Amino acid sequence: MLRPQLSLLPLLLIALFALVSSNPVKAQEDLTYSKQAAEARALAKKNGIPLSLAEIPKRNVPDASNAVTYLRQLQALTKTKPLNEKDTKFLWDEWLTASLPTPQQIQRARQIITSRSDIMRVVDKIVVCDQYYIPITLTKLSPTIPMPEDNFPLQATMRSVARWTAAKTLLLLAEGKEQEAVAYQAQGLHLTKIAQQDPSSAGAVVANVVDRIVISRIKQTLFRAGEHPGIAKSVASTIPPYNVASLGKVIDYEVASVFGMVEATRNQAKTQKQSKEILKAVQLMTKKYHYPTDPDKAAQRFINANEINLIQKALVLKSAVNAPYYQSLPKGFPTLQDLEKGDSNPDVTFAYSNLSNLLSLRTYTTLSLANRLVVQVGAQVLAWKVEHGKYPNSLAEMTPQVPLDPFDGKPLRYRKEATGFVVYSVGEGKTF
């Protein structure tokens, strides 16, 4: 995620804000923290976690297969000739949420999509790309920390691509072209795979959003045409598992980003003047947490301690990425609530603020995985109905291997209802 360069003063003020605990940490020598920080950095390298964005491997991606090439083209198109506000509201709200669009709505959607064939041509190029790569360079956004300068705008454009594919899919459905709609949705799901190649946490969020948009259109396909011969089977075979393992490289990227910022702060600390605010923060830390009275040494202690905690927790989190979500993190690992509210101990408060995004992404990604499984199994149930003339009494009757709910490791839930059925995951809260 793009982060502004932080100076020493904001970091110390963060610590100052957090000093409310009545349990001060045990005093340790400055050299102990420096040694432990060096050991933590060595452990990170041993486990493949880069300590700067400059260490992120570069890729040789031809422009013709790089989605970034066409995303930039789409940005230019929409900037030169933007969609007017009225048509935008229709396509993104009224059209995508309509359960049964009227003939007038179908005609209007067709007119808008046809009139913007320039956009659709570029969208169709993006959804078949296999790569997403932006070189990481020193930019005007941060003269000391490498980062991809145009990452955020491209991520917003990726979400726009998902909306255009959703609009076209719904038009195909409305026109009775169900098989074409399913085929186009498969390309939409590929768009999620492309988005996941962006290793930043913001990229992971966009991948989840893109997936949610596409999956919602697939649900509409099932609601409208699921009992038509072949449609439900086509949908069920179209949905691949969500790539949860992509979070591993997001963790690498975010840790590398933070370390770039930390190193810039460390260098600033060597020449930072002793302002009244810093001295005040140091005095409070000295009193409650046995920090050195010298501002430079206090700054180094703050940075080293947070480096240690960030690496230790990131390594645990990375090892948990490929394990099922319901296998809880090790005892003592802070909860998302602990991370979000921060800790009163300045030795961890900065590390915690950066770990909260990564922990929440693990939940969002699991939700996307569950969402795909539910829709896929729902499609299988509808296909069973087409073949047998009735809904199965249980998922086990339909298949000997019922997919497991990623939130609790038990089979996905299913029940028949008066006019249909429900397939669901218990979700993060273990309720529905």
Side-chain angles (χ1 to χ4, degrees):
M1 182 180 293
L2 301 184
R3 294 186 178 88
Q5 178 182 347
L6 294 186
S7 68
L8 174 62
L9 179 57
L11 287 178
L12 290 177
L13 292 180
I14 290 172
L16 174 61
F17 178 76
L19 302 182
V20 294
S21 174
S22 58
N23 297 312
V25 296
K26 184 178 180 181
Q28 298 189 43
E29 294 293 333
D30 297 342
L31 290 177
T32 301
Y33 279 99
S34 297
K35 181 180 178 182
Q36 289 179 350
E39 291 172 349
R41 289 192 289 272
L43 187 61
K45 284 184 174 291
K46 182 179 178 180
N47 286 273
I49 293 184
L51 298 183
S52 74
L53 290 179
E55 296 178 27
I56 300 289
K58 294 180 174 61
R59 289 189 280 148
N60 183 20
V61 180
D63 288 346
S65 61
N66 190 356
V68 169
T69 303
Y70 305 109
L71 286 168
R72 287 171 177 156
Q73 290 181 15
L74 186 57
Q75 284 178 334
L77 274 176
T78 53
K79 183 177 181 179
T80 304
K81 185 184 175 184
L83 199 64
N84 66 58
E85 185 176 346
K86 188 175 180 180
D87 286 347
T88 299
K89 183 173 177 56
F90 172 77
L91 279 185
W92 302 161
D93 289 333
E94 184 179 350
W95 178 240
L96 294 185
T97 57
S99 56
L100 291 173
T102 65
Q104 292 78 13
Q105 288 176 318
I106 294 172
Q107 180 61 23
R108 185 177 176 190
R110 185 185 298 114
Q111 289 174 345
I112 296 173
I113 292 174
T114 302
S115 68
R116 294 315 305 264
S117 58
D118 55 342
I119 287 180
M120 292 310 305
R121 281 194 295 270
V122 179
V123 166
D124 287 343
K125 289 180 180 179
I126 293 171
V127 296
V128 297
C129 282
D130 293 320
Q131 302 287 331
Y132 182 113
Y133 179 65
I134 311 173
I136 299 172
T137 58
L138 290 174
T139 75
K140 63 184 180 183
L141 294 176
S142 178
T144 58
I145 306 172
M147 61 179 64
E149 184 174 2
D150 55 357
N151 213 16
F152 276 150
L154 288 176
Q155 289 160 348
T157 305
M158 181 71 83
R159 185 175 61 179
S160 179
V161 172
R163 286 172 166 171
W164 279 104
T165 60
K168 181 176 176 179
T169 296
L170 191 52
L171 180 60
L172 292 170
L173 284 174
E175 294 175 339
K177 301 174 181 178
E178 288 88 1
Q179 289 288 5
E180 290 181 45
V182 172
Y184 200 69
Q185 287 166 344
Q187 290 184 326
L189 288 173
H190 183 67
L191 185 64
T192 301
K193 184 178 179 180
I194 297 170
Q196 285 184 318
Q197 291 196 24
D198 179 350
S200 70
S201 59
V205 170
V206 169
N208 279 279
V209 171
V210 165
D211 204 67
R212 184 181 65 190
I213 293 171
V214 176
I215 289 294
S216 67
R217 298 290 77 74
I218 292 179
K219 288 180 182 178
Q220 282 189 309
T221 303
L222 292 173
F223 291 153
R224 295 184 186 185
E227 294 191 15
H228 291 192
I231 296 298
K233 282 187 177 181
S234 295
V235 169
S237 62
T238 292
I239 305 175
Y242 195 86
N243 184 16
V244 177
S246 64
L247 273 182
K249 61 185 179 184
V250 174
I251 293 173
D252 287 351
Y253 184 95
E254 291 302 313
V255 171
S257 298
V258 173
F259 264 87
M261 182 170 57
V262 166
E263 286 307 305
T265 304
R266 188 191 302 279
N267 292 333
Q268 287 177 351
K270 297 175 182 178
T271 58
Q272 187 87 32
K273 292 183 178 179
Q274 298 179 7
S275 68
K276 292 182 179 180
E277 290 83 359
I278 291 179
L279 286 172
K280 184 177 179 181
V282 169
Q283 289 166 358
L284 285 173
M285 286 191 291
T286 301
K287 181 178 180 181
K288 288 196 172 186
Y289 293 93
H290 306 286
Y291 263 61
T293 55
D294 179 84
D296 289 339
K297 290 183 179 180
Q300 295 302 326
R301 153 80 177 269
F302 180 82
I303 293 169
N304 284 332
N306 278 276
E307 278 187 350
I308 295 164
N309 280 286
L310 178 64
I311 290 175
Q312 289 175 344
K313 299 297 189 297
L315 284 170
V316 172
L317 200 54
K318 188 174 180 179
S319 67
V321 165
N322 293 317
Y325 184 89
Y326 54 86
Q327 291 182 359
S328 59
L329 290 163
K331 185 177 181 181
F333 194 92
T335 65
L336 182 58
Q337 291 73 25
D338 292 334
L339 294 173
E340 287 179 341
K341 72 182 180 181
D343 192 283
S344 58
N345 181 353
D347 285 349
V348 301
T349 186
F350 184 54
Y352 276 20
S353 68
N354 288 282
L355 286 164
S356 61
N357 287 339
L358 297 176
L359 193 59
S360 61
L361 271 175
R362 181 171 177 256
T363 301
Y364 296 151
T365 301
T366 305
L367 185 60
S368 292
L369 170 61
N371 203 23
R372 284 198 182 196
L373 286 174
V374 165
V375 174
Q376 186 175 45
V377 172
Q380 292 172 348
V381 171
L382 286 169
W384 172 282
K385 169 87 181 305
V386 171
E387 185 176 346
H388 296 84
K390 64 176 183 177
Y391 294 120
N393 294 315
S394 67
L395 294 181
E397 181 183 2
M398 180 182 71
T399 175
Q401 293 184 327
V402 179
L404 300 182
D405 188 333
F407 281 104
D408 67 357
K410 298 178 181 179
L412 286 175
R413 276 60 166 183
Y414 165 83
R415 68 170 181 265
K416 294 170 65 175
E417 295 191 340
T419 57
F421 67 95
V422 176
V423 177
Y424 66 95
S425 160
V426 296
E428 182 187 7
K430 305 295 189 296
T431 54
F432 187 74

